[in-house]
Amino acid sequence: MGMRGIRGATTVEEDSSQEILTHTKGLMEEIIKQNCVDPEDVAAVFITVTHDLQADFPAKAVRSLPGWDLVPLMCSNEIPVSGSLDKCIRVMILTNTAMKQNEVKHVFLRGAMRLRPDLVRSNELTAN
């Protein structure tokens, strides 16, 4: 078993607490499901948001998941690069797993699918 990083991202329609928490929770649930992540194996979760999201901490959504309340979480802002994707939430889960790098399923939802279409396509092929 080794440490792996699992990436994910999603977008929201507006800067509201409900949008941020709902879509962060949905992203995490999909990452957990696709990679069989057990919170006991997780070292830390890093969450970033773009400069236009300030209504709430996305970590609150992760803490609301069963068993995730003791996992170390950190929220921060993305570097505001001109032309980057707006209203985006990114997640990096560091977890102990027996999966190889090419077996990890990175999850990109909603508008964030444009960030890594190469990974979105490979996940769709793996899921079928």
Side-chain angles (χ1 to χ4, degrees):
M1 198 175 266
M3 181 73 63
R4 296 278 182 232
I6 303 174
R7 291 174 286 184
T10 190
T11 55
V12 298
E13 295 295 319
E14 62 184 40
D15 182 23
S16 73
S17 179
Q18 182 177 354
E19 283 272 308
I20 291 169
L21 299 179
T22 297
H23 292 293
T24 301
K25 184 176 182 182
L27 174 62
M28 285 295 296
E29 288 172 336
E30 192 62 27
I31 292 171
I32 292 165
K33 181 176 92 175
Q34 286 194 31
N35 292 283
C36 300
V37 177
D38 182 337
E40 285 294 321
D41 295 328
V42 175
V45 178
F46 300 93
I47 307 165
T48 63
V49 297
T50 49
H51 70 283
D52 48 6
L53 296 179
Q54 301 174 7
D56 215 330
F57 292 104
K60 286 171 55 177
V62 180
R63 275 192 220 101
S64 75
L65 298 170
W68 287 79
D69 56 323
L70 298 177
V71 174
L73 307 168
M74 180 175 283
C75 294
S76 66
N77 285 78
E78 286 281 327
I79 299 168
V81 175
S82 178
S84 63
L85 186 60
D86 290 334
K87 296 183 182 73
C88 187
I89 302 165
R90 290 179 174 88
V91 172
M92 172 72 74
I93 301 173
L94 298 179
T95 187
N96 290 301
T97 181
M99 287 189 293
K100 295 180 180 176
Q101 286 284 7
N102 65 350
E103 296 171 330
V104 173
K105 294 176 180 74
H106 305 286
V107 177
F108 296 86
L109 304 175
R110 302 170 50 89
M113 289 190 288
R114 323 188 308 219
L115 295 171
R116 290 297 305 266
D118 56 320
L119 295 179
V120 172
R121 268 188 249 112
S122 70
N123 282 345
E124 288 173 356
L125 294 173
T126 304
N128 292 330

